[in-house]
Amino acid sequence: MQRSLLFLLCAAAPLMAQAADATSATDTQMIERAVRDYIESQHKADPARMERGLDPKLAKRTYWQAADGSEFIMHTDYETMVKVARTFNKDGSKFPAQPRVDIKILDVDQRVATVKLSADEWIDYMHLYKNQRSEWKIVNVLWQYHDTARQVNKK
């Protein structure tokens, strides 16, 4: 009996591994799609894509320097990012013809993931989760400009 069970487990192991790999590939694609929705919605002024990629409870943050030299954490929320997608590049002049989009999935564990997005002007470290509908949503973003001297109020 034990030998039969062991044989069945050994025979089934490759099939289970293939199923896990298939899920990983799907999750990888869906994670990348959420990140692409986030960045490409800004490139193409497409707020619907931004909405699709973000969780409504999004918390986007960066450190910023006030005009007086003090630093603070600047917060951006879901509604603001949807507005950014709608208005920031409306005239098509804010990004190069072939914008840089480098997505690195740093870690995935079941229903959570960490991703680094390198774009033309900045980097975003993102946390995503997989909801009950198997959609991956960005819930946290920590970002900075590549040139951190730009992270200051001029006034």
Side-chain angles (χ1 to χ4, degrees):
M1 177 70 167
Q2 287 181 338
R3 283 187 182 182
S4 297
L5 183 58
L6 183 59
F7 176 77
L8 284 173
L9 287 174
C10 289
L15 297 174
M16 291 187 297
Q18 286 175 349
D21 288 345
T23 301
S24 293
T26 299
D27 284 338
T28 297
Q29 291 171 347
M30 298 305 289
I31 291 165
E32 286 182 4
R33 185 182 97 175
V35 175
R36 285 193 180 283
D37 283 347
Y38 168 87
I39 189 64
E40 291 176 2
S41 68
Q42 295 172 67
H43 295 158
K44 299 172 183 171
D46 186 350
R49 285 188 71 185
M50 183 68 81
E51 290 172 351
R52 183 174 70 179
L54 299 182
D55 182 86
K57 300 272 188 195
L58 173 77
K60 181 176 177 177
R61 298 176 182 94
T62 191
Y63 60 91
W64 208 257
Q65 189 175 59
D68 68 5
S70 63
E71 281 194 340
F72 63 96
I73 301 297
M74 184 170 61
H75 299 268
T76 307
D77 61 12
Y78 172 88
E79 290 82 15
T80 304
M81 289 308 298
V82 172
K83 182 179 178 184
V84 165
R86 184 182 310 107
T87 62
F88 178 68
N89 195 34
K90 200 170 190 174
D91 69 357
S93 67
K94 303 288 188 200
F95 296 96
Q98 298 296 319
R100 176 181 173 200
V101 176
D102 182 22
I103 299 169
K104 291 184 181 162
I105 298 175
L106 303 175
D107 190 36
V108 179
D109 190 338
Q110 298 178 56
R111 293 180 58 196
V112 296
T114 301
V115 175
K116 179 181 180 182
L117 167 65
S118 296
D120 294 296
E121 303 270 332
W122 65 87
I123 63 162
D124 293 289
Y125 287 96
M126 303 174 162
H127 292 134
L128 296 87
Y129 73 94
K130 184 177 176 178
N131 66 20
Q132 291 177 327
R133 293 180 304 278
S134 294
E135 301 165 325
W136 284 91
K137 299 288 183 174
I138 300 166
V139 68
N140 291 317
V141 178
L142 178 63
W143 75 276
Q144 74 176 22
Y145 283 112
H146 292 297
D147 176 7
T148 58
R150 293 184 58 191
Q151 294 191 224
V152 61
N153 286 358
K154 305 288 189 226
K155 300 176 186 178

